[in-house]
């Protein structure tokens, strides 16, 4: 069983799909692990560290992928026209691709996996069930991203986060509002609290109230019966009614005007991110305030944020960095690689040391996009040719 790992070539990507720790685990299961040269450099992993762990370093894509049974990636392979190289063209039929695949954003890539004759599994589709927690890449990456977002804000903020009592007088603590209290938002709340800020959080899901309060932050939300049905069976948020949105906007506006920093993390799966901070609300914030819009790649929670830019709106900095997990690449790679190992390990057969999926496993069924070159995921069946 040959497992290949390519260097990530997409813009803003610094992570890698394997670490020396996980190389050792796969090697102990009888796998041959081949890593493309310099794949780990941006995550602070030199080629020698991979070699010491038992991996083979290959000079280029072709050598890395030759005869590979499994390809592990962070982001889906480049297709022809998407970059300097067509990574998918080097995959051999019958190979298994395990990666985040963004099938909603890139349905054409599913046709690419069909043509290439590969079996493709999308890690972001791992169900949020207890058994799959160790494989949950959305959580592992969002957790680190929420932490990093607060550090980005603290770095841009030209004031101190904690209260400081000095001989020259007292500095007031920063006031931080976190919009969206899922995995990223709760970590942002915890991180801002650790830095000494006074923190409040908001979310449409009623379960978030207790979680926000347990971290020592104030929960801010309109009192509405609609919240009781704001959560889907899968634990995600639904889009709210216009009346709810109006009341929420009034509350956010009133709260935000008193804040120094806003961290935006609100997302609705498969839909554009809800607009929670309007230009008028930004205008009410004092100069020097910071907004970090982690939802910027899904359209943004702030009307004024721009993907990949830091916007100056009359003294309010609106940070729209793309790919926040890649800004904390060493740890993000470490957790991502462990998630992949936890996902694959139960399907490595002891007898012949080969990967044989149990297709009836609900985690495999939920993540399986193509099988042997055929689109099989119910949500994408009409994407095929
Ligand atoms: P997400 O990234 O989809 O969304 C982030 C947050 O934004 C969510 O909390 C959502 O409710 C909130 N949001 C959406 N619209 C909003 C609006 N208009 N105003 C304010 N907030 C809004 O969510 P996530 O972080 O992936 O987590 C989703 C859920 O899954 C959470 O309940 C989380 O606790 C749960 N979860 C469960 C497990 C598990 O049991 N294995 C693992 C991870 C997450």
């Amino acid at each position: 069983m040959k497992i290949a790992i390519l260097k990530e070539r997409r813009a803003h990507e610094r992570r890698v799909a394997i670490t020396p720790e996980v190389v050792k685990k796969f090697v102990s299961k009888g796998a041959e692990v081949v890593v493309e040269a310099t794949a780990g450099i941006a995550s602070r992993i030199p080629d020698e560290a991979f070699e010491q762990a038992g991996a083979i370093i290959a000079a280029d894509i072709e050598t890395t992928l030759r005869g590979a049974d499994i390809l592990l990636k962070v982001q889906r392979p480049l297709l022809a026209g998407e970059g300097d190289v067509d990574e998918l063209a080097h995959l051999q039929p019958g190979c298994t691709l395990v990666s985040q695949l963004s099938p909603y954003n890139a349905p054409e890539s599913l046709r690419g996996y069909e043509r290439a004759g590969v079996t493709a599994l999308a890690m972001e589709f791992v169900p949020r069930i207890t058994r799959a927690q160790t494989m949950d890449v959305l959580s592992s990456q969002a957790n680190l991203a929420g932490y990093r977002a607060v550090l980005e804000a603290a770095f841009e903020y030209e004031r101190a986060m904690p209260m400081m009592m000095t001989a020259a007088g007292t500095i007031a603590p920063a006031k931080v509002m976190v919009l969206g209290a899922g995995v990223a938002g709760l970590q942002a709340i915890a991180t801002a609290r650790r830095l000494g800020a006074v923190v409040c959080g908001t979310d449409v899901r009623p379960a978030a109230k207790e979680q926000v309060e347990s971290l020592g932050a104030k929960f801010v939300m309109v009192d509405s019966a609609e919240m009781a049905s704001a959560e889907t069976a899968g634990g995600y948020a639904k889009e709210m009614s216009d009346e709810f949105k109006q009341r929420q906007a009034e509350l956010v506006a009133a709260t935000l005007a008193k804040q120094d920093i806003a961290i935006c993390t609100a997302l609705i799966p498969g839909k554009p991110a809800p607009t929670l901070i309007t230009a008028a609300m930004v205008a009410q914030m004092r100069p020097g305030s910071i907004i970090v819009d982690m939802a910027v790649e899904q359209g943004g929670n702030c009307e004024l944020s721009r993907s990949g830019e830091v916007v100056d709106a009359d003294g309010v900095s609106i940070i729209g960095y793309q790919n926040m997990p890649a800004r904390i690449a060493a740890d993000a790679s470490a957790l991502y690689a462990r998630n992949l190992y936890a996902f694959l390990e139960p399907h490595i057969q002891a007898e012949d040391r080969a990967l044989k999926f149990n297709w009836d496993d609900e985690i495999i069924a939920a993540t399986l996009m193509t099988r042997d070159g055929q689109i099989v995921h119910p949500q994408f069946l009409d994407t095929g040719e």
Side-chain angles (χ1 to χ4, degrees):
M1 178 174 65
K2 175 177 168 179
I3 302 177
I5 293 87
L6 288 183
K7 185 162 77 183
E8 297 292 322
R9 290 178 164 77
R10 289 183 187 273
H12 309 291
E13 191 51 82
R14 301 178 61 81
R15 291 169 291 175
V16 62
I18 204 160
T19 54
E21 176 201 7
V22 173
V23 168
K24 278 186 202 156
K25 289 186 178 179
F26 277 124
V27 169
S28 76
K29 289 276 171 186
E32 178 191 346
V33 180
V34 181
V35 180
E36 187 182 356
T38 73
I41 295 297
S43 286
R44 310 294 176 200
I45 308 169
D47 289 348
E48 300 75 52
F50 281 129
E51 278 177 321
Q52 280 162 15
I56 298 162
I57 300 295
D60 51 30
I61 300 183
E62 202 186 334
T63 336
T64 309
L65 290 182
R66 196 177 298 138
D69 301 297
I70 305 166
L71 168 62
L72 304 182
K73 287 209 67 304
V74 176
Q75 292 201 47
R76 64 189 175 82
L78 290 165
L79 303 175
E82 280 192 317
D84 299 341
V85 276
D86 180 350
E87 292 174 329
L88 197 57
H90 293 279
L91 270 186
Q92 289 165 16
C95 182
T96 297
L97 165 67
V98 183
S99 177
Q100 297 177 106
L101 296 177
S102 312
Y104 287 115
N105 298 337
E108 72 286 357
S109 61
L110 296 181
R111 289 193 290 274
Y113 309 140
E114 276 198 321
R115 277 193 297 274
V118 301
T119 295
L121 297 111
M123 287 304 292
E124 66 270 54
F125 278 61
V126 166
R128 264 39 210 279
I129 55 173
T130 306
R131 181 165 68 89
Q133 276 181 2
T134 52
M135 315 166 194
D136 184 349
V137 298
L138 290 182
S139 289
S140 74
Q141 305 302 291
N143 190 17
L144 289 166
Y147 162 81
R148 180 72 194 201
V150 174
L151 297 194
E152 302 288 0
F155 184 73
E156 282 283 323
Y157 187 53
E158 289 168 10
R159 297 181 169 95
M161 293 283 272
M163 183 169 84
M164 288 190 184
M165 297 172 84
T166 80
T170 301
I171 292 174
K175 294 201 183 82
V176 176
M177 181 175 195
V178 176
L179 298 102
V183 179
L186 290 173
Q187 182 56 255
I189 290 172
T191 305
R193 288 270 301 146
R194 281 185 214 124
L195 286 174
V198 174
V199 186
C200 65
T202 185
D203 200 295
V204 288
R205 291 179 300 106
K209 180 177 190 291
E210 196 188 321
Q211 293 163 350
V212 167
E213 288 174 349
S214 74
L215 292 169
K218 190 175 166 213
F219 190 67
V220 177
M221 191 26 90
V222 287
D223 189 9
S224 162
E226 199 181 330
M227 272 187 72
S229 59
E231 187 165 323
T232 65
Y236 289 104
K238 286 184 189 160
E239 195 174 1
M240 307 303 277
S241 70
D242 287 345
E243 193 217 328
F244 184 94
K245 284 184 195 166
Q246 178 58 34
R247 289 181 60 198
Q248 185 186 14
E250 285 161 16
L251 183 65
V252 170
T255 313
L256 208 60
K258 298 179 214 141
Q259 307 298 313
D260 302 302
I261 294 172
I263 309 283
C264 304
T265 77
L267 292 175
I268 304 166
K271 295 231 159 102
T275 304
L276 301 177
I277 303 181
T278 61
M281 293 183 203
V282 176
Q284 294 299 311
M285 296 179 81
R286 68 170 171 158
S289 298
I290 312 287
I291 297 171
V292 180
D293 195 344
M294 289 179 63
V296 73
E297 286 161 282
Q298 281 76 38
N301 292 150
C302 175
E303 215 169 56
L304 298 181
S305 59
R306 297 282 165 269
S307 195
E309 293 178 27
V310 179
V311 174
D312 183 334
D314 290 331
V316 176
S317 294
I318 306 166
I319 299 174
Y321 293 147
Q322 294 167 349
N323 198 348
M324 198 62 87
R327 298 177 77 86
I328 179 162
D331 276 336
S333 298
L335 297 191
Y336 184 84
R338 286 183 203 158
N339 290 147
L340 292 190
Y341 183 77
F343 178 76
L344 290 172
E345 190 273 335
H347 303 279
I348 299 174
Q349 309 300 312
E351 318 83 61
D352 55 0
R353 301 173 154 200
L355 182 73
K356 282 194 196 120
F357 285 117
N358 170 7
W359 304 111
D360 296 329
D361 181 317
E362 67 175 309
I363 300 171
I364 298 303
T367 52
L368 191 66
M369 296 289 131
T370 62
R371 182 174 168 188
D372 298 329
Q374 286 256 296
I375 294 177
V376 292
H377 197 285
Q379 282 172 45
F380 302 98
L381 280 176
D382 57 0
T383 316
E385 285 169 330

